[in-house]
Amino acid sequence: PGVQGGEDEMAVHVEGNVGAASRKEATGHAHLQEADVSLNTNGASAGLVARYSGPGEGNFYLGAVTKTATGFDVYIYRNLGGQYVLLATKKLTGFSGTGALRFEVVGNSLKLFVGNVLQIQATDSTIMAGGLVGMRGRGAAAFDNFHV
């Protein structure tokens, strides 16, 4: 099921244990979105999406934090044609599982912040056109205060 409406083209979609919400952004705009996230179980993941153009599970950037058995990891991925490519990753220290997540995509610069601290960054020019931005969760991930 999905929900869509308004001139901002905000959409929400939930399928199984994966959910996403998105908002259309114009070509040439910087993509900056943030949300408060909470991850309580291993395998839970909360991410922010930029420059999504589809179709389906394809063509976007994803900045995410995932709870593992040993702590938390942060990632930046590029998805092109349904194929994920890991652009940056690291173990996250000092994170309790609840906090602010911010993904900035400006030109070819991709930056992921947790708690207002830059954690990882990457440079990639593959997807430069505007598209949808949004959030994506898996497992016991909760989002609040999503801003674009």
Side-chain angles (χ1 to χ4, degrees):
V3 177
Q4 186 170 349
E7 63 184 49
D8 288 337
E9 294 187 44
M10 183 67 132
V12 177
H13 180 78
V14 177
E15 184 174 319
N17 69 345
V18 176
S22 57
R23 179 178 172 160
K24 179 95 169 141
E25 291 291 321
T27 299
H29 284 189
H31 299 275
L32 185 152
Q33 58 269 8
E34 59 189 346
D36 294 331
V37 300
S38 181
L39 305 171
N40 297 315
T41 60
N42 291 343
S45 180
L48 298 172
V49 173
R51 296 185 180 162
Y52 171 83
S53 63
E57 180 73 16
N59 306 315
F60 57 88
Y61 291 110
L62 173 66
V65 59
T66 298
K67 182 169 176 42
T68 69
T70 59
F72 296 90
D73 296 329
V74 287
Y75 306 91
I76 296 177
Y77 285 100
R78 175 187 66 226
N79 180 307
L80 191 61
Q83 300 298 312
Y84 282 90
V85 173
L86 182 62
L87 300 176
T89 187
K90 83 171 206 179
K91 290 279 185 202
L92 187 59
T93 59
F95 182 64
S96 67
T98 300
L101 186 65
R102 184 171 82 233
F103 192 33
E104 295 181 4
V105 179
V106 180
N108 66 355
S109 173
L110 309 135
K111 296 179 180 179
L112 186 65
F113 296 77
V114 178
N116 283 328
V117 176
L118 177 62
Q119 296 295 333
I120 54 175
Q121 58 187 344
T123 302
D124 189 85
S125 299
T126 305
I127 305 170
M128 297 299 290
L132 295 174
V133 297
M135 57 188 166
R136 181 181 180 121
R138 182 182 66 221
F143 294 83
D144 197 7
N145 301 317
F146 176 66
H147 299 281
V148 176

